[in-house]
Amino acid sequence: MSLKPNEKERKHPHTLSTLSFQSASSGIAAKAMRTELNKLTAAILDAKARKAFQTEMDNFYMLFTRYLSEKAKGTKLDWDKVNEPSPEQIINYSSLSRCENPQHLNKLAVLKLNGGLGTTMGCIGPKSAIEVRDGMTFLDLSVRQIEYLNNRYNVSVPFILMNSFNTDEDTMRIIQKYGSHKINILTFNQSRYPRINKESLLPMPRSPAGDISQWYPPGHGDLFESMANSGILDRLIADGKEYLFVSNVDNLGAVVDLNILQHMVDSDAEFVMEVTDKTKADIKGGTLIDYEGTVRLLEVAQVSPEHMEDFKSIKKFKIFNTNNLWINLKAIKRVTEEKELNLDVIVNTKTLEYDKKVIQLETAVGAGIKHFKNAHGVNVPRSRFLPVKSTSDLFLVTSDLYSLNHGELMMNPKRLFQTVPLVKLGDEFKKVSNFMSRFESPPYILELDHLTVTGDVTFGAGVQLKGTVIIVATMGHRIDIPPNSLLENKVVSGNLRILEH
């Protein structure tokens, strides 16, 4: 009598039992999480505060149970069903009708995603408070844009900031200086979710007032529910607002565009995502796809390793999401009230002190596109995507490559090619304070194609950079680029010191 398993059993020996085990484990984890969240909620004595906290924890719990379900069953996209968007799903900006009529502006509100800190650039506090041009911060430039819009067209477009618990206090203090400006500034906070212990799958905090490091803001996909929970959504609708323009606070190209607003009205679209053509620098950016006839956002985190090269390919996925979004406010109210939102869960694993590993469950606002009627993308010029994520980006926006006009950065028409140079600054330039100290004045770069700088390098005033310039200061040495120097298609390496005398 043979005890060998048959071929079928050998291939899938424990499939059903494994699924049953994972399902049972998920059920236990969900129940344990619910118990802990109830304890946290019960610790809040004030009834109003407890109700608001309960709502946040309920939303977090729904996200957590979806995470458990996906972890147990696996819900990766079927790559064979991932297709390029159809021409109806991506419309070219150049095909939009030109609009000078501001008739719909009084139905518009502008929202900036202001939850991030400037830590990656060595700053403390909200990223929106970093000075980026002529002594003005991201926030200053945004306020200036909206104020100019309101004055020019005699309208009242409110300016909204979605803060996080990390940025709210500082932001509220900063915006006091705009009190005399012709602009209505509204703020609300996105949710505060508990970090999850990766081993126990239980919340890190033991108290609602626990260590702030045990909590996190759950990504900008939280916008829909936080707008509804804060009362901001109902307030805007009551004030006659119908459309919301959303963008990242660090995207200096995201200004109100009458052509896109008019197109949104004409096409009766509830959701329009601005996309732009990929370059080699954008290969990890989320892209729009057609999935079983529906337009969806595909993020890099959703792509399995075997399809990563395909995802990064500029040939197949030619565009990426700028996170400039135009959304119908009443549609937001509908999808939140009817609990229609089922945004893709992004799992972010972090390591805290003492090597404690935690999980953050996040969502992206652009993923909401699949829940709105007549939703589609508009392929916009690159000028509408001008983010400042690093000092290499800061180098560009502070240079003569751009001029400032009513808070809007415009590319210098004297630049021969309306493309941005590729700039790579080394670790010595990573922090904003170090970056500023290494330039006596911003170099002239109208004719620059590529710049790489590594090591201990400083620039004198009036330096011109053209073509491809590579500057490498070797370990233990320093390079000072003299004032008024012209570097054109040059490689500078080794040691070059300018001594005071």
Side-chain angles (χ1 to χ4, degrees):
M1 177 177 168
S2 173
L3 294 177
K4 280 187 176 182
N6 63 36
E7 195 65 29
K8 191 172 182 180
E9 287 171 335
R10 194 159 50 237
K11 284 184 180 175
H12 306 285
H14 302 297
T15 303
L16 291 176
S17 61
T18 300
L19 283 174
S20 298
F21 174 79
Q22 289 176 337
S23 180
S25 299
S26 294
I28 293 168
K31 189 175 180 180
M33 176 62 78
R34 183 75 269 180
T35 300
E36 292 298 316
L37 295 179
N38 288 343
K39 286 180 185 175
L40 288 171
T41 304
I44 299 177
L45 301 179
D46 180 76
K48 186 177 179 181
R50 185 167 62 248
K51 185 179 179 182
F53 184 80
Q54 176 79 60
T55 301
E56 279 193 354
M57 292 307 100
D58 286 348
N59 289 336
F60 166 75
Y61 182 70
M62 287 174 64
L63 191 63
F64 179 69
T65 53
R66 278 178 42 220
Y67 159 71
L68 291 177
S69 174
E70 291 179 11
K71 188 180 176 189
K73 297 176 184 176
T75 56
K76 285 285 182 186
L77 291 174
D78 182 345
W79 198 255
D80 292 334
K81 295 179 180 178
V82 173
N83 296 305
E84 290 183 63
S86 68
E88 296 78 33
Q89 291 170 329
I90 303 282
I91 294 165
N92 204 295
Y93 180 83
S94 61
S95 71
L96 302 186
S97 300
R98 303 297 95 184
C99 178
E100 295 294 333
N101 190 339
Q103 60 178 324
H104 300 297
L105 279 180
N106 269 325
K107 298 176 184 176
L108 180 71
V110 171
L111 185 148
K112 293 288 184 182
L113 301 168
N114 186 47
L117 296 169
T119 48
T120 54
M121 294 170 70
C123 296
I124 299 171
K127 187 175 184 180
S128 56
I130 296 175
E131 286 189 10
V132 288
R133 181 81 190 206
D134 299 349
M136 286 185 286
T137 65
F138 289 109
L139 212 47
D140 292 335
L141 294 174
S142 296
V143 167
R144 195 169 172 185
Q145 289 168 16
I146 302 301
E147 187 177 30
Y148 173 70
L149 189 76
N150 287 339
N151 285 327
R152 180 181 178 186
Y153 294 109
N154 192 28
V155 292
S156 181
V157 174
F159 181 62
I160 309 163
L161 294 167
M162 184 172 85
N163 302 330
S164 68
F165 62 84
N166 288 321
T167 63
D168 184 58
E169 188 177 335
D170 286 339
T171 299
M172 295 306 289
R173 191 165 59 248
I174 291 167
I175 62 176
Q176 291 179 34
K177 68 179 180 179
Y178 307 123
S180 61
H181 292 242
K182 187 186 175 182
I183 185 169
N184 179 23
I185 301 180
L186 306 173
T187 68
F188 69 98
N189 273 18
Q190 66 182 114
S191 299
R192 184 183 70 149
Y193 284 177
R195 282 175 163 161
I196 304 163
N197 184 305
K198 190 175 182 183
E199 291 181 10
S200 67
L201 291 183
L202 292 173
M204 290 289 293
R206 291 288 177 264
S207 159
D211 189 336
I212 205 71
S213 69
Q214 296 178 340
W215 302 83
Y216 72 98
H220 41 59
D222 182 59
L223 176 142
F224 304 108
E225 287 166 340
S226 288
M227 279 192 78
N229 295 339
S230 67
I232 285 281
L233 181 60
D234 285 337
R235 177 175 172 179
L236 291 173
I237 292 172
D239 288 344
K241 306 304 176 186
E242 296 181 26
Y243 309 104
L244 184 70
F245 175 43
V246 179
S247 63
N248 296 339
V249 76
D250 64 1
N251 182 3
L252 297 175
V255 297
V256 172
D257 186 288
L258 289 180
N259 301 332
I260 300 176
L261 178 58
Q262 185 65 50
H263 168 73
M264 188 179 186
V265 176
D266 292 343
S267 62
D268 200 26
E270 292 184 342
F271 195 113
V272 171
M273 175 186 289
E274 292 186 36
V275 298
T276 196
D277 291 341
K278 264 188 182 183
T279 67
K280 289 181 180 179
D282 313 308
I283 55 175
K284 290 187 178 180
T287 188
L288 283 184
I289 60 170
D290 177 281
Y291 194 81
E292 298 183 318
T294 301
V295 64
R296 289 180 61 167
L297 178 66
L298 177 63
E299 296 277 16
V300 66
Q302 298 169 263
V303 181
S304 52
E306 66 266 28
H307 299 300
M308 192 58 70
E309 288 307 310
D310 201 11
F311 173 79
K312 291 178 180 179
S313 166
I314 296 177
K315 291 180 180 177
K316 182 168 183 178
F317 301 110
K318 301 179 179 68
I319 50 90
F320 72 98
N321 171 29
T322 66
N323 223 36
N324 298 348
L325 309 169
W326 301 74
I327 315 173
N328 184 290
L329 287 165
K330 289 181 180 176
I332 294 177
K333 187 171 176 66
R334 184 191 72 240
V335 298
T336 52
E337 284 185 347
E338 297 180 8
K339 302 293 182 185
E340 293 178 12
L341 285 170
N342 187 25
L343 304 184
D344 301 301
V345 182
I346 300 169
V347 182
N348 191 351
T349 303
K350 290 185 175 288
T351 303
L352 304 183
E353 291 180 349
Y354 313 113
D355 290 330
K356 179 81 73 177
K357 285 188 167 49
V358 298
I359 295 170
Q360 295 181 181
L361 304 179
E362 303 172 8
T363 56
V365 63
I369 192 169
K370 63 184 177 182
H371 294 292
F372 292 84
K373 297 171 185 173
N374 297 329
H376 59 272
V378 172
N379 192 344
V380 298
R382 184 75 183 200
S383 58
R384 292 190 58 76
F385 183 68
L386 194 58
V388 179
K389 303 292 184 188
S390 65
T391 50
S392 296
D393 297 329
L394 192 60
F395 173 85
L396 293 170
V397 300
T398 55
S399 74
D400 61 333
L401 200 62
Y402 297 97
S403 58
L404 194 59
N405 185 28
H406 304 296
E408 180 180 357
L409 286 184
M410 315 283 286
M411 185 171 281
N412 194 324
K414 292 181 181 177
R415 178 155 173 90
L416 197 57
F417 301 105
Q418 294 292 294
T419 53
V420 177
L422 182 62
V423 175
K424 296 179 181 178
L425 301 179
D427 288 344
E428 291 79 6
F429 293 78
K430 193 173 182 180
K431 294 184 178 180
V432 172
S433 56
N434 293 345
F435 168 85
M436 302 296 277
S437 68
R438 291 182 176 277
F439 292 95
E440 200 170 324
S441 70
Y444 299 106
I445 62 169
L446 273 183
E447 297 177 53
L448 179 68
D449 298 321
H450 178 121
L451 173 67
T452 294
V453 183
T454 60
D456 187 1
V457 179
T458 64
F459 292 78
V463 172
Q464 286 188 66
L465 304 173
K466 298 182 179 183
T468 296
V469 178
I470 299 171
I471 305 170
V472 180
T474 52
M475 184 77 72
H477 294 94
R478 174 172 158 181
I479 294 177
D480 296 327
I481 304 299
N484 303 312
S485 298
L486 168 61
L487 298 180
E488 182 172 3
N489 296 320
K490 296 289 185 187
V491 175
V492 181
S493 64
N495 183 36
L496 175 64
R497 293 296 307 273
I498 298 175
L499 302 175
E500 297 289 340
H501 64 279

